[in-house]
Amino acid sequence: MAADRPSSRQDRPPPRRPTDPRGPGPSRAKAARRIPIAAAGSRPPTGWLAGAAATLGFTAVCFWIGSATVFAIGSTGREIDFNALGYFAGCFVSILMLYRFLVADNEARNTDRYSDWQVFGARRVIGWMTFAGWVLGASHLWFWVLDLTRP
C-alpha cells in the first residue's frame, strides 16, 4: 500500500496555477486589445440607432419601388424585386441593428457616467423602430409572396 503513494514532496506534481476568476473566455492579451464599442461616460450609441433608422427608412421606401423595379441575380436567370429586399431589411437587418445597439448600450451603461435621453429612453425608441421595421418587413413578405404566386 505504501508503494502506491509518493514517498516525498519531490515526487508530487507542482501545484496548479489558479484559473482566471472571470471564467473561460478570451485571454487577457486579447481582452486588452479589444476596442470598446462605447466610450466610458457616453450617451446611447447613436451609430447603431442611425443604422436602425436607415434600415426602417429603406424598408418604407421599398413600398414605393415594390415590384415595379426588378433586377437580375447574377447570371442565374432569376430576378428579385424590392419587396424581397424590404422583407430582408425589415425582418432581419432591423433585428441585427437592435442587437448591436443593445450590446453597445449595455457596455455604456456599465459605466458610472452613463446618461440616457431625457424625454424618451433610447431603448424604447429603437424597440419601436425595430417593431415597425419588422411589421413593414412582414408586409413586404406578403406582397412578395403574392407576386410570386400570381399566374
Side-chain angles (χ1 to χ4, degrees):
M1 289 291 173
D4 292 339
R5 285 189 251 150
S7 61
S8 69
R9 260 190 173 278
Q10 295 171 351
D11 294 337
R12 294 182 185 169
R16 297 182 64 181
R17 298 176 73 177
T19 59
D20 192 1
R22 292 178 288 180
S27 67
R28 289 180 189 238
K30 283 185 180 179
R33 285 189 310 230
R34 189 175 69 182
I35 299 171
I37 294 176
S42 66
R43 300 188 50 89
T46 55
W48 295 111
L49 193 65
T55 302
L56 179 63
F58 176 75
T59 306
V61 166
C62 284
F63 274 112
W64 283 278
I65 301 171
S67 60
T69 306
V70 176
F71 53 95
I73 303 174
S75 61
T76 60
R78 295 181 174 219
E79 297 175 336
I80 192 167
D81 61 357
F82 276 89
N83 277 327
L85 292 177
Y87 159 66
F88 179 74
C91 287
F92 296 106
V93 177
S94 65
I95 304 268
L96 177 69
M97 291 292 163
L98 173 68
Y99 166 74
R100 292 302 301 159
F101 174 84
L102 291 177
V103 167
D105 193 48
N106 279 337
E107 285 188 5
R109 283 178 188 259
N110 284 337
T111 64
D112 290 334
R113 299 182 300 172
Y114 180 80
S115 61
D116 205 354
W117 296 343
Q118 296 298 323
V119 180
F120 298 109
R123 287 179 177 230
R124 179 172 287 174
V125 170
I126 197 165
W128 280 107
M129 285 176 29
T130 304
F131 178 72
W134 192 85
V135 168
L136 290 176
S139 58
H140 274 295
L141 176 64
W142 174 262
F143 291 119
W144 184 37
V145 169
L146 279 178
D147 286 341
L148 288 178
T149 58
R150 192 173 290 154

